[in-house]
Amino acid sequence: MRTFSAILAIVASIVLTGSALAQDLGPRVKKLADGVYVHTGNGFDSNSGIILTDEGVVVIDTGQNPIESRDIMATVKKLTSMPVRLVIDTEPHGDHTTGHFVFPEAIVVAAAGGGESMRGAERAAPDRIQRLAATSPEMKTALEGYRFIAPHFEYQDRMTINFGGRTIELIHMKGVHSESDNAVWLPKERVAFSASAYLVNQVNILRPFVTIPDILAAGKMLRALNPERVVSGHGTPGTVKIFDDGDKYYALLMDRVGAQMRQGKSLDDIKKEVKMPEYASWGSQERMPTNIDAAYKALGGKI
């Protein structure tokens, strides 16, 4: 009887310790699978992934800014004493990569073009870090020790990483958001980090090299993996419904832009007349003109 009571006490202790750990991680850290977590951004800030392995930690994107990067590192330290060995960039933009310096022991991996995009952004805004540091005393402190770190390794098309008992598949998605977009797929855990090809409840910025057909093709490819959990570059993690919602949005946008084109309207007039009231609650409405441009081009219009 004493032995049974002792076992119960040990089990209760383990349960309580696990509960305390879950609380310590904070409300923005969600467990997706055993040893796989998402550190969600504030509002529409970028998301990051944390993958625990037998040989160290893999971090997917290093946070919206260095304050977030240090918060991610603090979360890692709560989960394990092992170091961060690998950082995977889903895109090269600063809201995903500025915090690389917080993980100095890590090898940084990106899809082809990631490093050149980052170096180009540094050349275009050489005072970016100084301006960022000036935004708040907290940000200035978080930037202490900053150094620019571009990817150490870039891959073409697809790559599989077998590391610490985990299989991590990388898929280069072209023309969907940035100059170098990278989906991260964990086949055993059935978790997909889908980069910013699709956002959640937010209008995406569609740069001139981005095409709606490429976005839809990326969604089809990711959906075919049959993931159970999906983490977009920005927004609340969910399921393949993220892709379904995005596809419905683009279908309606294309339909409305196409109707205006058939009436012989100019692109300027189309931008004035096409409305998407069904999506008025989505963030970043100021990006809508770039979406109309992309729809216009996808339907054969010349810009």
Side-chain angles (χ1 to χ4, degrees), residues 250-289:
Y250 288 118
L252 184 58
L253 177 67
M254 297 270 283
D255 182 64
R256 289 181 179 165
V257 170
Q260 296 286 317
M261 292 175 70
R262 288 190 292 274
Q263 295 176 31
K265 300 288 183 64
S266 68
L267 178 57
D268 287 340
D269 286 340
I270 292 172
K271 287 182 178 180
K272 293 174 185 176
E273 296 185 25
V274 167
K275 307 296 179 186
M276 298 286 282
E278 300 87 349
Y279 298 93
S281 64
W282 281 19
S284 305
Q285 290 288 320
E286 73 279 1
R287 297 171 171 176
M288 188 62 72

Side-chain angles (χ1 to χ4, degrees), residues 101-122:
F101 74 100
V102 176
F103 309 87
E105 297 181 38
I107 298 296
V108 181
V109 178
E116 182 50 38
S117 173
M118 289 179 65
R119 287 185 287 270
E122 289 294 296

Side-chain angles (χ1 to χ4, degrees), residues 20-293:
L21 177 60
Q23 291 172 351
D24 288 345
L25 294 178
R28 291 199 288 122
V29 179
K30 310 294 183 186
K31 184 176 181 180
L32 304 175
D34 286 344
V36 181
Y37 300 82
V38 57
H39 190 288
T40 58
N42 277 307
F44 292 124
D45 286 355
S46 62
N47 296 320
S48 296
I50 299 171
I51 304 170
L52 309 183
T53 86
D54 295 338
E55 297 179 33
V57 181
V58 179
V59 168
I60 301 172
D61 291 341
T62 54
Q64 180 77 19
N65 55 55
I67 294 174
E68 285 288 286
S69 305
R70 294 189 184 277
D71 196 20
I72 293 163
M73 178 58 92
T75 298
V76 169
K77 289 180 177 179
K78 290 175 183 177
L79 290 167
T80 178
S81 60
M82 299 191 77
V84 176
R85 295 294 191 193
L86 188 66
V87 165
I88 299 173
D89 292 343
T90 67
E91 65 168 89
H93 295 162
D95 57 336
H96 296 253
T97 61
T98 300
H100 286 4
F101 74 100
V102 176
F103 309 87
E105 297 181 38
I107 298 296
V108 181
V109 178
E116 182 50 38
S117 173
M118 289 179 65
R119 287 185 287 270
E122 289 294 296
R123 290 191 296 268
D127 64 340
R128 180 177 73 91
I129 298 303
Q130 289 83 354
R131 287 188 286 107
L132 183 60
T135 58
S136 73
E138 185 184 15
M139 188 69 74
K140 183 178 180 181
T141 299
L143 276 162
E144 289 179 0
Y146 170 81
R147 62 189 180 94
F148 175 78
I149 299 178
H152 301 102
F153 183 85
E154 298 183 18
Y155 74 95
Q156 298 279 351
D157 298 322
R158 288 178 178 255
M159 183 171 77
T160 298
I161 299 172
N162 293 303
F163 179 72
R166 301 276 187 184
T167 297
I168 303 171
E169 297 180 6
L170 307 182
I171 307 167
H172 188 180
M173 301 181 295
K174 300 174 183 178
V176 300
H177 176 73
S178 76
E179 301 80 2
S180 170
D181 292 296
N182 172 39
V184 182
W185 168 235
L186 305 178
K188 180 180 177 182
E189 296 81 5
R190 310 216 67 76
V191 175
F193 291 82
S194 62
S196 297
Y198 288 74
L199 303 184
V200 181
N201 297 330
Q202 183 183 18
V203 179
N204 212 337
I205 183 169
L206 304 191
R207 297 173 174 86
F209 55 81
V210 172
T211 78
I212 292 176
D214 282 338
I215 293 171
L216 298 178
K220 182 178 180 181
M221 178 273 297
L222 289 163
R223 193 184 285 103
L225 298 173
N226 193 29
E228 293 178 1
R229 304 298 297 273
V230 175
V231 181
S232 174
H234 299 259
T236 304
T239 66
V240 293
K241 185 177 182 297
I242 291 172
F243 310 137
D244 297 340
D245 290 346
D247 288 354
K248 289 176 183 177
Y249 163 80
Y250 288 118
L252 184 58
L253 177 67
M254 297 270 283
D255 182 64
R256 289 181 179 165
V257 170
Q260 296 286 317
M261 292 175 70
R262 288 190 292 274
Q263 295 176 31
K265 300 288 183 64
S266 68
L267 178 57
D268 287 340
D269 286 340
I270 292 172
K271 287 182 178 180
K272 293 174 185 176
E273 296 185 25
V274 167
K275 307 296 179 186
M276 298 286 282
E278 300 87 349
Y279 298 93
S281 64
W282 281 19
S284 305
Q285 290 288 320
E286 73 279 1
R287 297 171 171 176
M288 188 62 72
T290 71
N291 284 227
I292 293 174
D293 282 343

